[in-house]
């Protein structure tokens, strides 16, 4: 019976060692799995931090872009106002030039008419003066002829 018990004990001891070996293997696997999972968790934390930093950087970039966009919109609005003002000035100046050209054309046509009328009047006056001078010349010539005739008679 002792031997039987000893064999049972040996068997139990053997089984216990087998179980211990199996448990040690399982424990090592679990430890390995745990280390692997800790590494994965560490990698995920690093990835989350990188993603968070990227998100923060993108958010900052987005704010800069939005600020730049607002600034660009304001500049565009100011440039549009300036353009509209310049277009208005251009139209005003163009209309003023057209009016001046029309005035010049009107004045030129009026002056030309006046000059023609003046020239015609001056020509009539000149012709009248010429006629008067011709008449005076004719009168003088007749007077000279009369004097010559009287002078001839006296001699």
């Amino acid at each position: 019976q002792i031997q039987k018990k000893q064999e049972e004990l040996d068997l139990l001891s053997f089984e216990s060692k087998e179980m211990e070996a199996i448990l040690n293997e399982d424990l090592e696997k679990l430890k390995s799995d745990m280390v692997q999972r800790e590494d994965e968790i560490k990698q995920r934390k690093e990835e989350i931090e990188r993603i968070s930093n990227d998100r923060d950087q993108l958010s900052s970039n987005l704010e800069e872009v939005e600020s730049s966009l607002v600034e660009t919109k304001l500049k565009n609005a100011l440039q549009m106002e300036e353009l509209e003002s310049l277009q208005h000035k251009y139209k005003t100046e163009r209309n003023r030039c057209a009016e001046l050209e029309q005035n010049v054309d009107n004045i030129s046509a009026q002056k030309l008419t006046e000059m023609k009328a003046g020239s015609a009047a001056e020509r009539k006056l000149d012709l009248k003066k010429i006629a008067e001078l011709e008449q005076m010349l004719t009168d003088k010539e007749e007077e000279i002829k009369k004097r010559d005739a009287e002078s001839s008679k006296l001699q």
Side-chain angles (χ1 to χ4, degrees):
Q1 229 181 355
I2 292 179
Q3 192 176 1
K4 215 177 188 184
K5 291 275 183 190
Q6 186 65 36
E7 284 176 5
E8 281 178 15
L9 206 75
D10 287 342
L11 184 63
L12 282 176
S13 176
F14 177 74
E15 285 177 354
S16 172
K17 286 182 183 177
E18 267 188 2
M19 284 296 264
E20 187 180 338
I22 291 172
L23 287 175
N24 281 337
E25 275 181 31
D26 287 347
L27 182 63
E28 287 303 316
K29 279 184 182 177
L30 288 172
K31 282 182 182 178
S32 175
D33 286 349
M34 194 171 88
V35 168
Q36 185 178 354
R37 290 208 173 134
E38 284 175 348
D39 286 345
E40 288 174 1
I41 289 171
K42 185 179 175 184
Q43 287 175 352
R44 285 188 180 152
K45 281 183 180 178
E46 288 172 356
E47 187 175 340
I48 288 170
E49 188 168 335
R50 183 182 51 78
I51 288 171
S52 177
N53 289 339
D54 288 350
R55 188 194 68 224
D56 291 345
Q57 183 62 43
L58 288 173
S59 178
S60 174
N61 289 348
L62 180 61
E63 287 175 7
E64 289 175 19
V65 167
E66 287 174 342
S67 173
S68 176
L69 181 62
V70 167
E71 186 178 326
T72 301
K73 284 181 179 181
L74 287 174
K75 284 180 183 178
N76 285 345
L78 289 174
Q79 287 176 344
M80 284 303 292
E81 287 177 13
E82 190 176 327
L83 177 63
E84 288 172 0
S85 173
L86 288 173
Q87 285 175 333
H88 178 71
K89 285 179 183 178
Y90 171 75
K91 287 178 183 177
T92 302
E93 286 299 314
R94 197 175 79 205
N95 290 339
R96 197 169 137 280
C97 285
E99 287 175 12
L100 286 174
E101 285 177 3
Q102 185 63 40
N103 289 342
V104 166
D105 289 346
N106 290 343
I107 290 171
S108 296
Q110 187 178 5
K111 282 284 185 193
L112 186 60
T113 303
E114 288 174 7
M115 287 171 60
K116 285 180 183 177
S119 293
E122 286 175 14
R123 267 188 256 127
K124 284 182 183 178
L125 187 59
D126 288 344
L127 289 172
K128 188 176 179 184
K129 283 182 182 178
I130 290 171
E132 288 175 0
L133 288 173
E134 285 177 345
Q135 186 60 46
M136 286 174 63
L137 184 60
T138 306
D139 290 346
K140 286 286 181 190
E141 284 176 349
E142 286 178 16
E143 191 180 308
I144 291 172
K145 283 182 187 176
K146 282 183 186 177
R147 271 194 222 151
D148 282 344
E150 284 178 12
S151 181
S152 303
K153 283 183 187 176
L154 286 176
Q155 286 178 354

